[in-house]
Every structure is written in structure tokens, then in C-alpha cells.
Amino acid sequence: MSVTSPVPHKIIGVAVIWNHQKQILIDRRLPQGTMGGLWEFPGGKIEHDETIQECIKREIHEELGIEIVVGEHLITINHTYTHLQVTLTVHHCHHVQGIPQAIECAEIRWVDLNELDQFTFPEANIEIITALQNSKK
């Protein structure tokens, strides 16, 4: 009888970053690794003794080299993939300063809300897109 270990659980702060033209910043995951090549909303794992807002601000600075203001909470999603369970805590954010750079991703792009359907996102991100579309109606 084998005992299966539980899948790891990661708590992730996710940023929906808006610019002054009402566009959203998305990034493409590096080709190697889990879900490689898919598009996503930037963010990352929360560290010990860090609020979700601090996590989002830090991750965006590390991954994209820009400063943001973390705004209101949009949605929290619990999703289980075969290899991983994630809790995505998503906040609206506003681009304040700096030019986004693909530091830890393959590519970045500013897109309009109605263009998000043209990109392939990980399964859990679909709920974020739906929440965004519903909040703008």
C-alpha cells in the first residue's frame, strides 16, 4: 500500500496591472518548467511574515522592474492542478513608474481587456479574466 503525499499548496499574490491607457500587463512564462509558454498575470509566492500586498509589490519589482500601487482585491481563487494546489489572491494594481522588462519571463505585453481571450492562460487564470470582464460590465 502506497501513501501518497499531499500536493504542495502555494499562496500566490497576483497583480492585474493597469496603465493610464486602461490596458493590462500580462507576461509569458519561460518555455521550460511547469506551464511553460503560457501567458499569466504577474505575481509570485508569498514569503514568511509578508502581507499579500507586500508580496505583489515585491514580486512585480523583481520580475518586471517596475513600481506599482496595489489597489483593491478582485478575487481569490483556489485551484488544484494534478501536481499543485494554488490559492491566487488577485488585486487590481496601477503602474506608477519604470518600463516593464522581461526579467523572469519570456515576454511581456500590454493588452486591452477584450484581447485577453486571444492568449492561452493556465486554467486557474480563466477565473481572473471572467472576474475582470464581469467587473467592467
Side-chain angles (χ1 to χ4, degrees):
M1 181 175 118
S2 66
V3 176
T4 56
S5 59
V7 293
H9 180 222
K10 293 182 181 175
I11 298 172
I12 299 172
V14 178
V16 175
I17 304 170
W18 297 88
N19 66 13
H20 295 301
Q21 291 78 41
K22 301 284 186 257
Q23 293 173 307
I24 300 168
L25 186 68
I26 58 174
D27 68 63
R28 189 173 197 148
R29 298 174 71 97
L30 293 169
Q32 63 274 25
T34 310
M35 296 180 267
L38 296 181
W39 290 88
E40 66 181 355
F41 298 97
K45 293 186 294 292
I46 192 166
E47 292 184 353
H48 185 65
D49 288 342
E50 189 176 49
T51 68
I52 206 76
Q53 289 88 347
E54 290 167 342
C55 165
I56 292 171
K57 201 169 166 70
R58 175 186 53 77
E59 285 283 349
I60 298 312
H61 184 74
E62 289 174 4
E63 292 181 10
L64 302 170
I66 60 173
E67 298 301 322
I68 59 166
V69 172
V70 179
E72 67 184 50
H73 175 257
L74 172 66
I75 189 172
T76 297
I77 299 164
N78 289 300
H79 188 86
T80 303
Y81 293 100
T82 53
H83 62 285
L84 176 69
Q85 183 182 358
V86 293
T87 298
L88 305 178
T89 303
V90 186
H91 280 260
H92 286 287
C93 299
H94 300 280
H95 178 230
V96 179
Q97 172 178 333
I99 297 169
Q101 303 162 61
I103 298 169
E104 294 186 12
C105 57
E107 187 181 346
I108 46 181
R109 194 172 296 181
W110 289 105
V111 298
D112 292 323
L113 178 59
N114 61 3
E115 294 175 316
L116 289 173
D117 293 338
Q118 300 169 24
F119 297 88
T120 306
F121 285 85
E123 200 177 316
N125 282 230
I126 304 306
E127 290 183 63
I128 300 172
I129 294 169
T130 302
L132 284 168
Q133 290 167 337
N134 291 339
S135 70
K136 291 296 174 190
K137 287 181 179 163

